[in-house]
Amino acid sequence: FGLSPFERDLLLLVAGVEMDAELRRVCAAALGHSQAPRPQATFGLALAALEQSHWSALAAMAPLRRWRLLEVDDSAGLVNGRLRIDERVLHYLAGVNYLDPRLQPLVSPVPAPQVMAESHRHICDSVLERLREPSSSAPVVVLSGDDVDGQADVAAAVAAHLHVQLYGVQADDLPSTAAEADAFGVLWQREAALLSAMLLIHC
């Protein structure tokens, strides 16, 4: 996700107070609490304790918040507000990797085909050749025609060759409002990185 060393350490600090009682106690003491009722780390604590600190780490469009890795309870201000790690991200750091439950009602795995038509295999090879070209952005491939099952087979075969899991979603099921569409896009792109996955949108 393009985290700086400070952003990575900040994420691990917030995960650590959730997972480790001794670290939770040390952070509570550093914040002046004899005992914390719940795991707590703040941006102010991180700025004081971690190396290479920078203020931009918690900017809304910086990676930690852009990718919904951390949330800030800003009722006490940005510096003193409690930092929370997204549950999905916490489990990933603990070695438990699964599709985000918020996406499960919308997307489903698409299995790789056991048998493919020769014409579909040629299309698959062509797509793979293009995907392996250097690119500065995430590629989008459009599979057109009236053979919906064949398109799914090509997409699944491409994913299998790239050693990633393909998930499918119906276009009609995608969020329609701008805010919901953006939230879906962020969650999916995060899942694509965490799960090594690709998305097939059935139009």
Side-chain angles (χ1 to χ4, degrees):
F1 297 102
L3 301 180
S4 69
F6 172 65
E7 289 167 335
R8 185 181 63 243
D9 289 347
L10 175 57
L11 181 65
L12 292 175
L13 172 66
V14 180
V17 297
E18 293 281 354
M19 296 186 198
D20 187 88
E22 177 61 15
L23 181 58
R24 184 159 57 247
R25 184 193 66 76
V26 169
C27 288
L31 292 169
H33 305 309
S34 58
Q35 55 182 4
R38 56 185 179 178
Q40 185 165 342
T42 68
F43 191 41
L45 176 63
L47 288 171
L50 301 177
E51 296 179 354
Q52 304 181 54
S53 61
H54 54 91
W55 272 93
S56 61
L58 283 190
M61 293 308 295
L64 288 174
R65 293 177 66 189
R66 167 63 180 157
W67 297 112
R68 313 288 206 275
L69 305 178
L70 288 182
E71 296 177 359
V72 186
D73 179 2
D74 57 6
S75 59
L78 181 65
V79 171
N80 297 316
R82 178 176 178 246
L83 298 176
R84 294 188 301 272
I85 186 170
D86 186 273
E87 181 181 348
R88 165 73 175 97
V89 176
L90 179 66
H91 287 163
Y92 176 82
L93 292 175
V96 182
N97 201 11
Y98 56 86
L99 180 67
D100 193 305
R102 289 164 287 192
L103 295 176
Q104 288 178 5
L106 297 175
V107 306
S108 56
V110 180
Q114 299 299 312
V115 179
M116 282 187 74
E118 191 64 26
S119 59
H120 293 163
R121 196 172 303 281
H122 287 313
I123 296 172
C124 176
D125 292 341
S126 177
V127 171
L128 285 167
E129 185 177 344
R130 294 298 298 273
L131 290 180
R132 289 178 174 133
E133 294 177 359
S135 174
S136 60
S137 59
V140 175
V141 176
V142 178
L143 299 169
S144 61
D146 56 6
D147 186 356
V148 176
D149 292 336
Q151 293 163 14
D153 284 349
V154 169
V158 167
H161 276 89
L162 296 176
H163 305 291
V164 300
Q165 173 63 55
L166 180 68
Y167 287 85
V169 61
Q170 296 295 328
D172 290 343
D173 292 337
L174 292 174
S176 56
T177 68
E180 290 176 341
D182 180 68
F184 174 87
V186 168
L187 279 182
W188 172 255
Q189 289 177 76
R190 193 179 75 179
E191 286 305 292
L194 297 179
L195 288 172
S196 295
M198 296 170 63
L199 185 65
L200 172 64
I201 302 176
H202 300 280
C203 299

